[in-house]
């Protein structure tokens, strides 16, 4: 009995020191032989608390003592003469103490119990921000903790509020018009089948936490829901609703969030910390704007097959996923379903897109809006912004065909601002010639738009594809003339032209980044494989993808066939989602599919 009690601790006032109700906290300990008893006698009052109250020692993993002590004013790290162990106010009534242990008054708290996976730890609330979170279930009524221990230990954690679900959104490439678009010309951007995936896993009601996880960039952070600045976001002068159009961020709301963002990934160097905090800002701003203090506790886990920082719209894809998931959770989205009227589907997409744009503002400050528009609606858009004081003109191209695409990453870092400045300098030095080149790029874009929207256009027509391909080649030549290419980009075009498999151009700002190749129909597989081998030997990163794919989609619940014998299909839980080792494994597990659409994934289709 003593050994069993040694492996439990009654934690009073764990989350709320003013509460009159005790809370049961289950702590996993090493075996009895590994958990030496400590003296029961109190530490002298001079040990750190200024009220002279008695206290006990609590042995913990030394790596988390300071973090656990910082969790509450009821815990402090004992002085060196007591081994630096945690100490706690002690009161036999257990009414006002933070921690008092049964039997030997000793508790050891490992960072992660042996045999427990990271996913199980998250679901059980075992850690907060990589340290420690308490796995608790509320106890109704004010009972003597000692007498009610057995009853509390047998109480089960409440079931999740809803089954896990997935949201996915695509990345994007600029097919025609980069750089000219900066000067009020047209550009066409299209979705690609590289995608972000967001798994939303509900926790038990007692958890009262939200966690944002992005393991691809090693981001993990947890917030206590009740501690968030709801009063500021819910103030009548500040409150936004799901149907509102938000075109700028509210500085007072940003300031209210700062204490909750500044603690994200503080252990990292400046650059990766900025990336983590930008992602956390987008998530928290949307969560606080669309949610409420009664929002369900959840883990929001992101995975992505889109290269980050390559100009492929990875942040917009993530913002669309977050927007759609939060809107689904507050039940403000209808569908998607096969019989949904086009006007209704368009309204849902516009709602998702508006809030995704808010997320993009949190990350980029002044985004164009084209990336999130493509990630929301899919296919392609014609984008034009002649007056930067007004919203851009964005025309969806619903008839844009799905075309096989080879995407190649040069692995050459580039600066968008630097390449834009390069063109600006050329325009100042040679205004007439540069303007002619920009107008030529605009003519290329409009020519492609005219063909795609014509009644005679067919993706199966070889002449139509030849026309689009030639425009891609011309566009690249004009970008080279503007000085925004790079030897590694031109090398890709050279290799592809030699193989004779398609038409290549840089995409995005240039100066590095990625190139796209629209493949000719019926290219022999051996030719593709030989090309890929050559690209590998020259240290390029390649992706076989599809141009003009679907936009944001939902898998609710997160269940797919996946060739399993499980009744109803395979449930995609947090552990499986985290264990997908690479892009191929992730696509096999949850991918929406390209030419053969995965069953159960649903998309809004205007």
């Amino acid at each position: 009995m003593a050994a069993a009690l040694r492996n439990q601790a009654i934690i009073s006032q764990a989350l709320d020191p003013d509460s009159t109700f005790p809370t049961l906290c289950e702590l996993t300990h090493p075996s009895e032989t590994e958990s030496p008893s400590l003296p029961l006698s109190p530490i002298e009052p001079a040990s750190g608390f200024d009220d002279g109250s008695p206290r006990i020692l609590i042995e913990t993993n030394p790596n988390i003592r300071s973090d656990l002590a910082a969790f509450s004013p009821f815990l402090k790290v004992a002085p060196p003469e007591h081994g630096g162990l945690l100490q706690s106010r002690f009161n036999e009534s257990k009414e006002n103490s933070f921690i008092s242990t049964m039997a030997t008054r000793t508790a050891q708290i490992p960072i992660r119990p042996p045999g427990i996976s990271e996913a199980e730890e998250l679901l059980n609330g075992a850690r907060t921000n990589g340290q420690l979170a308490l796995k608790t279930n509320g106890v109704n009524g004010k009972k003597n903790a000692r007498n009610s221990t057995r009853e509390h230990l047998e109480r089960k954690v409440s079931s999740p509020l809803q089954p896990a679900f997935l949201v996915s959104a695509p990345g994007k490439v600029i097919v025609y018009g980069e750089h000219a678009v900066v000067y009020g010309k047209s550009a066409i951007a299209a979705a690609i089948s590289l995608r972000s995936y967001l798994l939303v896993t509900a926790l038990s009601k007692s958890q009262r936490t939200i966690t944002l996880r992005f393991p691809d960039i090693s981001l993990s952070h947890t917030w206590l829901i009740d501690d968030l600045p709801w009063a500021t976001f819910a103030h009548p002068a500040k409150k936004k609703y799901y149907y509102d159009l938000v075109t700028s961020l509210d500085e007072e709301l940003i300031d209210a969030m700062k204490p909750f963002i500044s603690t994200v990934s503080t252990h990292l160097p400046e650059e990766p910390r900025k990336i983590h905090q930008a992602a956390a800002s987008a998530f928290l701003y949307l969560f606080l704007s669309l949610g409420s203090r009664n929002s369900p506790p959840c883990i929001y886990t992101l995975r992505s097959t889109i290269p980050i920082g390559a100009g492929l719209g990875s942040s917009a894809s993530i913002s669309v996923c977050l927007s759609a998931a939060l809107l689904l959770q507050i039940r403000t989205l209808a569908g998607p379903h096969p019989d949904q009227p086009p006007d209704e589907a368009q309204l849902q997409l516009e709602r998702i897109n508006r809030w995704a744009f808010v997320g993009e503002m949190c990350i980029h400050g002044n985004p164009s809006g084209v990336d999130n528009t493509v990630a929301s609606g899919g296919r392609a858009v014609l984008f034009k912004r002649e007056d930067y004081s007004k919203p851009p003109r964005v025309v969806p191209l619903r008839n844009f065909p799905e075309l096989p695409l080879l995407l190649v990453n040069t692995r050459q870092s580039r600066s968008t601002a630097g390449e834009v400045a390069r063109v600006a300098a050329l325009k100042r030095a040679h205004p007439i010639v540069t303007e002619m080149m920009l107008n030529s790029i605009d003519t290329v874009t409009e020519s492609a738009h005219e063909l795609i929207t014509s009644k005679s256009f067919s993706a199966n027509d070889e002449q139509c594809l030849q026309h689009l391909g030639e425009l891609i080649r011309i566009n690249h030549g004009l970008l080279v003339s503007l000085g925004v290419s790079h030897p590694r980009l031109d090398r890709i075009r050279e290799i592809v032209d030699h193989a004779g498999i398609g038409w290549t151009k840089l995409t995005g700002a240039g100066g590095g980044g990625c190139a796209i190749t629209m493949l000719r129909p019926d290219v022999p597989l051996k030719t593709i494989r030989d090309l890929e081998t050559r690209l590998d030997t020259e240290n390029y990163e390649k992706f076989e993808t599809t141009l003009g794919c679907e936009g944001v989609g939902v898998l609710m619940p997160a269940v797919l066939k996946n060739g399993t014998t499980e009744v109803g299909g395979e449930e995609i839980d947090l552990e499986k989602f985290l264990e997908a080792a690479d892009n191929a494994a992730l696509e096999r597990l949850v991918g929406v599919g390209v030419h053969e659409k995965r069953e159960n994934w649903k998309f809004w289709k205007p």
Side-chain angles (χ1 to χ4, degrees):
M1 179 66 177
L5 290 174
R6 188 173 295 116
N7 286 330
Q8 301 295 334
I10 300 298
I11 296 186
S12 301
Q13 322 298 335
L15 300 178
D16 184 359
D18 297 323
S19 171
T20 58
F21 299 116
T23 303
L24 178 67
C25 179
E26 300 178 23
L27 302 176
T28 305
H29 308 290
S31 65
E32 180 178 356
T33 58
E34 295 173 314
S35 180
S37 301
L38 297 180
L40 182 59
S41 57
I43 305 170
E44 292 300 318
S47 299
F49 292 111
D50 55 10
D51 59 359
S53 62
R55 58 202 46 78
I56 61 167
L57 285 175
I58 302 167
E59 184 177 3
T60 71
N61 187 309
N63 294 328
I64 63 171
R65 271 177 205 142
S66 298
D67 299 282
L68 192 57
F71 185 74
S72 169
F74 289 83
L75 287 176
K76 292 187 181 298
V77 177
E81 61 265 27
H82 293 288
L85 302 177
L86 277 180
Q87 55 178 320
S88 166
R89 287 188 175 91
F90 177 72
N91 186 306
E92 281 293 344
S93 69
K94 317 231 178 0
E95 294 287 328
N96 298 313
S97 64
F98 182 81
I99 295 182
S100 58
T101 59
M102 306 298 291
T104 63
R105 314 292 189 192
T106 301
Q108 274 195 322
I109 310 174
I111 289 183
R112 185 187 299 168
I116 301 298
S117 71
E118 185 175 7
E120 290 174 314
E121 182 182 54
L122 284 165
L123 290 171
N124 292 333
R127 280 196 297 174
T128 300
N129 308 333
Q131 302 299 331
L132 179 72
L134 300 175
K135 174 186 174 183
T136 65
N137 59 297
V139 179
N140 294 325
K142 184 177 180 181
K143 298 181 180 180
N144 181 281
R146 187 188 301 273
N147 294 337
S148 59
T149 298
R150 181 180 298 276
E151 177 186 344
H152 294 167
L153 295 181
E154 293 174 352
R155 184 183 296 272
K156 294 182 178 180
V157 176
S158 56
S159 299
L161 301 179
Q162 63 179 14
F165 69 94
L166 275 159
V167 179
S168 177
K172 74 93 182 63
V173 293
I174 296 180
V175 188
Y176 305 101
E178 47 270 272
H179 285 286
V181 73
V182 176
Y183 296 93
K185 317 300 183 183
S186 299
I188 291 178
I192 56 176
S193 56
L194 300 179
R195 304 179 71 92
S196 297
Y197 296 90
L198 172 65
L199 178 68
V200 181
T201 309
L203 300 173
S204 61
K205 295 179 181 178
S206 59
Q207 294 287 80
R208 302 307 299 150
T209 61
I210 52 168
T211 297
L212 177 64
R213 300 216 61 216
F214 195 172
D216 299 341
I217 60 171
S218 302
L219 168 61
S220 180
H221 197 86
T222 297
W223 295 270
L224 292 171
I225 294 174
D226 297 327
D227 287 354
L228 295 173
W230 295 110
T232 305
F233 274 77
H235 190 279
K238 302 293 181 183
K239 177 63 180 173
K240 299 295 181 183
Y241 296 93
Y242 67 90
Y243 47 77
D244 285 331
L245 174 63
V246 180
T247 58
S248 62
L249 300 178
D250 189 311
E251 289 301 323
E252 288 187 37
L253 301 184
I254 294 292
D255 289 343
M257 286 200 321
K258 283 181 179 178
F260 302 91
I261 300 301
S262 62
T263 58
V264 174
S265 301
T266 54
H267 61 288
L268 293 178
E270 183 179 4
E271 285 306 312
R273 184 172 70 248
K274 283 182 178 179
I275 294 172
H276 286 200
Q277 292 185 353
S281 296
F283 167 71
L284 207 56
Y285 198 100
L286 294 184
F287 182 81
L288 288 163
S289 297
L290 295 171
S292 72
R293 193 183 296 271
N294 297 321
S295 293
C298 289
I299 300 171
Y300 299 85
T301 308
L302 283 157
R303 300 292 305 273
S304 182
T305 63
I306 308 169
I308 295 173
L312 300 177
S314 59
S315 66
S317 175
I318 289 167
S319 293
V320 168
C321 286
L322 292 172
S323 170
L326 293 169
L327 288 166
L328 283 166
Q329 285 190 297
I330 62 173
R331 296 180 173 86
T332 57
L333 292 179
H337 55 81
D339 299 325
Q340 189 169 35
D343 289 349
E344 182 181 277
Q346 180 60 44
L347 177 63
Q348 312 308 303
L349 286 175
E350 181 59 32
R351 196 167 287 168
I352 294 169
N353 189 32
R354 285 181 176 185
W355 283 103
F357 182 70
V358 176
E360 280 282 85
M361 285 193 289
C362 291
I363 296 172
H364 295 298
N366 185 32
S368 68
V370 64
D371 287 12
N372 50 276
T373 301
V374 173
S376 297
R379 301 300 178 195
V381 299
L382 178 74
F383 180 88
K384 191 169 187 176
R385 193 170 197 169
E386 297 178 283
D387 185 346
Y388 274 76
S389 65
K390 298 178 181 178
R393 173 177 171 247
V394 180
V395 180
L397 304 178
R398 302 295 180 198
N399 293 328
F400 195 93
E402 288 192 0
L403 299 170
L405 188 76
L406 180 66
L407 176 70
V408 182
N409 187 0
T410 63
R411 303 183 192 267
Q412 175 68 42
S413 61
R414 88 282 188 272
S415 166
T416 298
E419 299 305 315
V420 171
R422 186 192 303 272
V423 176
L426 184 68
K427 197 170 188 298
R428 288 193 298 271
H430 308 282
I432 297 175
V433 175
T434 304
E435 184 65 23
M436 290 177 64
M437 287 190 287
L438 295 173
N439 286 334
S440 295
I441 293 175
D442 188 47
T443 302
V444 166
T445 304
E446 292 293 347
S447 178
H449 176 232
E450 182 179 348
L451 174 62
I452 292 167
T453 55
S454 68
K455 292 181 180 180
S456 61
F457 178 76
S458 171
N460 298 318
D461 187 325
E462 191 170 336
Q463 286 188 334
C464 289
L465 293 182
Q466 179 77 18
H467 187 91
L468 292 177
E470 289 172 348
L471 291 174
I472 282 177
R473 178 173 53 79
I474 294 169
N475 198 162
H476 180 76
L478 290 165
L479 291 169
V480 171
S481 298
L482 287 175
V484 295
S485 189
H486 184 276
R488 283 185 62 79
L489 287 167
D490 292 331
R491 176 61 177 159
I492 295 170
R493 185 196 57 76
E494 180 183 340
I495 294 172
V496 171
D497 284 354
H498 179 75
I501 66 169
W503 304 271
T504 299
K505 67 177 285 290
L506 68 85
T507 183
C514 293
I516 57 173
T517 297
M518 192 174 78
L519 298 173
R520 296 179 185 274
D522 303 322
V523 176
L525 182 60
K526 183 181 184 304
T527 304
I528 296 288
R529 295 296 172 255
D530 289 345
L531 175 68
E532 291 176 346
T533 300
R534 191 165 184 179
L535 291 170
D536 283 339
T537 60
E538 299 192 23
N539 195 33
Y540 289 101
E541 184 181 24
K542 64 188 181 305
F543 302 89
E544 289 183 48
T545 181
T546 297
L547 190 66
C549 63
E550 301 282 6
V552 60
V554 180
L555 181 67
M556 183 183 288
V559 177
L560 283 169
K561 292 291 185 183
N562 284 354
T564 181
T565 57
E566 295 180 37
V567 178
E570 179 183 9
E571 180 181 353
I572 313 300
D573 59 22
L574 181 58
E575 185 169 5
K576 292 175 182 176
F577 195 59
L578 289 172
E579 287 180 350
D582 53 24
N583 286 357
L586 184 63
E587 287 291 344
R588 283 195 300 272
L589 179 67
V590 300
V592 304
V594 182
H595 301 296
E596 296 181 8
K597 305 301 182 187
R598 295 289 289 278
E599 191 176 356
N600 296 343
W601 275 104
K602 301 293 187 294
F603 302 90
W604 285 275
K605 296 183 178 181

